[in-house]
Every structure is written in C-alpha cells, then in structure tokens.
Amino acid sequence: MKDEKGVTANNITLSGVLSACASLGALDTGTSVHSYASERGLQHDIYVATALIDMYAKCGNVNRASEVFENAHSKNGPMWNAMISALAFNGRSKEAIRLFHRMSENDSVRPDDVTFVSVLSACVHGGMVEEGRRLFHLMNSAFGLVPKIEHYTCMVDLLSRAGLVHEAWDFIEKMPEKPDEIALGALLGACQKGGNVDVSEKAMRVLMEIEPRNSGNYIISSQIYASSKRWDECAKMRLLMRQKGVVKVPGSSWIEIDGGVYEFHVGELLDREEIHRLLEVLYDDMKPVLKGNDKKIFDDLEVY
C-alpha cells in the first residue's frame, strides 16, 4: 500500500478497508493493510485492531486474530465481542466460552447483548445444549440483560439441532417478537430429521405467513408427511404449492476458472464432449495419487 502525496490513511480509513477485506475474504490485501497499519503505529488502535480481528476471522486465520487480540494495549467491549465471535465462527466453541468467562471476570468491560449472541452461537456450533441453556438464563440473572429475538433464535437453532423440537417450539412461543424464518427453518429441518409431524405443522403455519413463496418449506413439509405415510396431507401440500404459484428454485453451484465464474444448475444438460474433456483433465491431475480401485474407477468411468 502507498500513500497519495500529502494524504495519509487514518484509523477510520483502515477500519473501512479491513471491513471490505473481511466481506470479500481478501486475506492477502488484509495482511497488507495490517503491515501498513504497523508501519504507522496504528496496529494497536482499538478500531483498527477490532477490524483486524474480524478480517482474520472471516478469512479463516483465527490464530492471527488471536495474536492481534492478545497484543492489544487496551480492549473494549466490541473487541472482546469480535474475538468471541471469531472463535465461534470458526468452530472453536470451547475457546469462545473460555474467553467469555475471561471477559466476565474483567472489571473494565461487561458482556452485552452482542456478546451473548456470539457466545450462544458458539454453543450452537459446538452442540453444547446445557451450556447454552445456562448462558441464556445467565443473561438476566447475572447481567440484567433481557433476551432479544436474536438470543431466542440461537436457542431454537441449538435445541433443533439436538432434536429437542418440543423445547425449541416452547422458546418460539416465548419470543418477544414474531420468530424469523431462520429459527423456524431450523426447526422445520429438525422435524424432518426426527419425523415430528405435530411441531412441523405449527412451524409451517407461521412460515407460510412469513415467507409464503419459499418452495423449500413446502417440499420439506410434504416430505415429513410422506415419511409418516400421511399421503393425503403430502399431496395437499404439493397442491397448495402449485395453487400459490410457488416454483422450486433449482439447486446450483459455481466454480471460478481463470477469472471467470461458471454456474451449473441441477438438471441442466451439458455437452457430453465437454464433460469428457473435463474428466480427462481431472484424471491427468489426479493420476499421480490414484491407486488400486480408485484408478480403476476412473479408467472405467463413462458419462451418459
């Protein structure tokens, strides 16, 4: 990075650039900004350090994020929250919980609403149901914080993933506001996995009010009925989907090759010769490491 003549980037400028790097996953550019900040003595600025933690976390380099955090001369609430979120975001749930306890014992800072969203998210990623329950109740009993919809959503997600769909629905009914599609979608997916029809019907009724044109909800609901051999309800759900003009959006994936982005859709007909050429390239790249049956599978592979 270079300064324009007579113009020097300040802490606000660097924080904005680092936020953009975090959004794009641009680790190399973010690292260059870190070097630029260090050269100008801004690496310990509380805004820059917080932005660095967020950038490194979202680019998958939690160790660098932790270094920035531990080396910071002073730490405010947002910086603690950024580091707890960094650990939770990257699946290091137990470390996130430990850092939360460090924050709780620190006299100069106090956990807030954002802190608890981050630490409850850590419980979700780690499947830590009992810890999640304890922390949720700790919000009010120890810190005088009233849980908001974001905290309830974390609990619904946590309980749903653990298959505790009835308890998850109880949390939805206690929400201070109408639940969002994230919480209800997690619950509906858990009902599909566990074959729970009664809770799925409750969740579906609310989902149809919130996002009536989401094809996935109708399909999951019809599959739940089908798995319970309730064929009439299954057919009615598919019919309702057609009557409302809801169309299933085909699944798709993207791949970047030589700076170009290519999109593929489920059911899309591709050129047979192109597929064969692609397989040949893959085979040539993988041939040095293929052995035994793996090599035979590629040798015998045909595309129809």
Side-chain angles (χ1 to χ4, degrees):
M1 294 183 63
K2 293 182 179 179
D3 292 328
E4 290 290 332
K5 188 175 181 180
V7 179
T8 303
N10 60 16
N11 58 346
I12 304 302
T13 308
L14 296 181
S15 298
V17 175
L18 287 167
S19 178
C21 292
S23 299
L24 296 171
L27 179 58
D28 289 343
T29 304
T31 303
S32 297
V33 175
H34 190 175
S35 299
Y36 178 93
S38 298
E39 289 169 6
R40 282 149 185 79
L42 291 171
Q43 75 274 22
H44 296 305
D45 176 87
I46 206 157
Y47 298 105
V48 175
T50 301
L52 281 168
I53 291 167
D54 183 58
M55 183 275 296
Y56 279 125
K58 288 179 179 173
C59 292
N61 196 332
V62 192
N63 291 334
R64 287 298 302 274
S66 184
E67 286 176 14
V68 173
F69 177 79
E70 297 297 345
N71 292 331
H73 293 165
S74 61
K75 301 177 179 69
N76 63 358
M79 186 181 292
W80 282 90
N81 291 342
M83 193 62 230
I84 293 171
S85 178
L87 294 166
F89 182 79
N90 286 276
R92 292 162 66 163
S93 302
K94 291 183 179 179
E95 292 175 62
I97 302 294
R98 285 198 293 270
L99 189 61
F100 167 77
H101 289 306
R102 273 181 59 190
M103 182 184 187
S104 303
E105 295 164 0
N106 191 308
D107 294 332
S108 63
V109 69
R110 186 175 176 83
D112 59 12
D113 293 342
V114 178
T115 311
F116 276 94
V117 170
S118 298
V119 78
L120 288 172
S121 296
C123 293
V124 172
H125 290 298
M128 304 162 71
V129 176
E130 287 303 322
E131 184 68 13
R133 288 191 185 116
R134 191 186 70 81
L135 288 167
F136 183 84
H137 292 297
L138 201 66
M139 283 188 67
N140 187 264
S141 63
F143 297 96
L145 298 170
V146 178
K148 297 180 178 178
I149 189 168
E150 295 86 356
H151 307 105
Y152 279 96
T153 297
C154 285
M155 288 303 298
V156 171
D157 195 6
L158 174 62
L159 294 166
S160 296
R161 291 180 187 222
L164 302 171
V165 294
H166 289 284
E167 188 178 348
W169 179 254
D170 288 341
F171 263 90
I172 283 178
E173 290 189 311
K174 294 174 186 174
M175 281 187 175
E177 304 170 39
K178 184 176 288 189
D180 59 19
E181 65 277 7
I182 298 173
L184 290 164
L187 181 55
L188 190 63
C191 289
Q192 180 187 24
K193 185 177 180 180
N196 190 297
V197 177
D198 60 326
V199 176
S200 75
E201 289 178 330
K202 296 174 184 177
M204 190 61 190
R205 278 195 291 271
V206 185
L207 275 168
M208 288 177 70
E209 295 177 12
I210 297 174
E211 44 176 19
R213 302 196 66 79
N214 186 331
S215 61
N217 295 330
Y218 293 89
I219 293 167
I220 291 174
S221 188
S222 68
Q223 289 172 345
I224 292 172
Y225 284 129
S227 64
S228 302
K229 295 184 169 35
R230 294 173 60 171
W231 307 113
D232 288 344
E233 287 90 342
C234 176
K236 286 177 183 176
M237 190 56 65
R238 294 281 184 170
L239 178 62
L240 181 63
M241 184 176 169
R242 287 197 295 272
Q243 288 174 342
K244 289 181 174 288
V246 178
V247 180
K248 181 181 178 183
V249 179
S252 61
S253 59
W254 294 264
I255 185 171
E256 182 178 346
I257 302 174
D258 296 330
V261 178
Y262 301 86
E263 184 177 6
F264 302 91
H265 293 274
V266 171
E268 185 177 34
L269 293 177
L270 301 175
D271 183 83
R272 181 186 175 95
E273 292 183 3
E274 287 292 326
I275 293 174
H276 273 292
R277 280 198 292 271
L278 179 58
L279 285 172
E280 287 172 4
V281 172
L282 288 172
Y283 178 65
D284 288 340
D285 287 343
M286 296 176 67
K287 189 160 47 177
V289 296
L290 290 176
K291 297 179 182 179
N293 290 335
D294 292 334
K295 185 176 186 303
K296 187 176 186 304
I297 289 171
F298 261 86
D299 288 338
D300 296 341
L301 185 64
E302 289 188 18
V303 179
Y304 295 97

